[in-house]
């Protein structure tokens, strides 16, 4: 995991006498969850991946993008979701008549930490056996 510490030193001067009245945001949609990577709201929370260090919700596509960047995926390789909170870097095997869609798993990437039960995750899989 990369440590992305922001070292920008900003001068935070308080402007005296410039008090803005805070907008009351009690009517905000609390249900909406923003993506850990791109910050945009996640519409389909069911398809989101718990990617952040604390299981933050992340777009499936954003996780894919990040993994591709991090892992330096080659042209004949792919990042695929293999289930159970895991992704895999796969490489296509030479297709044979028997196995036209065979691929090798080069590396498994565990993305979701099973220890973390994020709040945003609606448990629709009540019957899952841990
Ligand atoms: Zn995103």
């Amino acid at each position: 995991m990369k440590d992305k510490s922001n070292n920008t030193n900003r001068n935070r001067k308080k402007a005296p006498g410039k008090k803005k009245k805070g907008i009351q945001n009690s009517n905000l949609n609390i249900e909406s969850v923003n993506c850990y990577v791109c910050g945009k709201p996640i519409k389909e929370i069911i398809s989101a991946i718990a990617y952040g260090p604390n299981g933050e919700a992340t777009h499936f596509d954003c996780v894919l993008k990040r993994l591709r960047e991090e892992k330096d995926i080659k042209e004949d390789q792919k990042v695929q979701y293999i289930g159970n909170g895991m992704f895999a870097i796969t490489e296509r095997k030479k297709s044979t008549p028997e196995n036209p869609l065979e691929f090798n798993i080069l590396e498994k990437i565990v993305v979701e930490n099973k220890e973390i039960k994020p709040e945003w995750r609606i448990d629709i899989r009540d019957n899952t056996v841990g």
Side-chain angles (χ1 to χ4, degrees):
M1 229 172 268
K2 276 179 193 169
D3 183 28
K4 270 198 178 173
S5 48
N6 219 343
N7 283 329
T8 43
N9 272 327
R10 274 189 200 159
N11 288 325
R12 281 196 189 168
K13 277 181 191 166
K14 275 185 188 172
K18 245 191 173 184
K19 271 189 185 172
K20 266 187 187 174
K21 227 185 178 185
I23 306 156
Q24 286 191 355
N25 50 9
S26 55
N27 277 336
L28 272 182
N29 189 5
I30 313 158
E31 298 292 308
S32 82
V33 178
N34 289 339
C35 173
Y36 174 70
V37 171
C38 71
K40 288 175 191 162
I42 298 173
K43 282 175 190 165
E44 288 175 62
I45 198 70
I46 286 167
S47 67
I49 304 289
Y51 177 66
N54 297 309
E56 284 91 343
T58 309
H59 288 123
F60 185 85
D61 287 344
C62 286
V63 178
L64 275 185
K65 214 180 139 199
R66 270 285 176 93
L67 292 176
R68 279 196 205 113
E69 286 166 6
E70 277 174 22
K71 301 289 179 181
D72 191 24
I73 300 300
K74 309 279 185 307
E75 234 175 80
D76 52 345
Q77 295 171 358
K78 245 181 156 182
V79 181
Q80 286 180 261
Y81 188 65
I82 56 171
N84 237 342
M86 272 192 291
F87 285 78
I89 300 170
T90 59
E91 189 181 52
R92 225 156 113 191
K93 277 184 190 171
K94 266 187 187 168
S95 57
T96 57
E98 297 88 43
N99 291 318
L101 290 168
E102 275 284 281
F103 54 82
N104 287 320
I105 290 180
L106 302 175
E107 186 185 340
K108 280 183 188 172
I109 311 157
V110 180
V111 167
E112 294 194 334
N113 188 341
K114 294 288 165 199
E115 311 279 301
I116 299 168
K117 297 255 189 298
E119 279 175 25
W120 54 266
R121 176 149 282 168
I122 309 148
D123 208 353
I124 45 160
R125 295 163 295 182
D126 250 351
N127 299 321
T128 358
V129 183

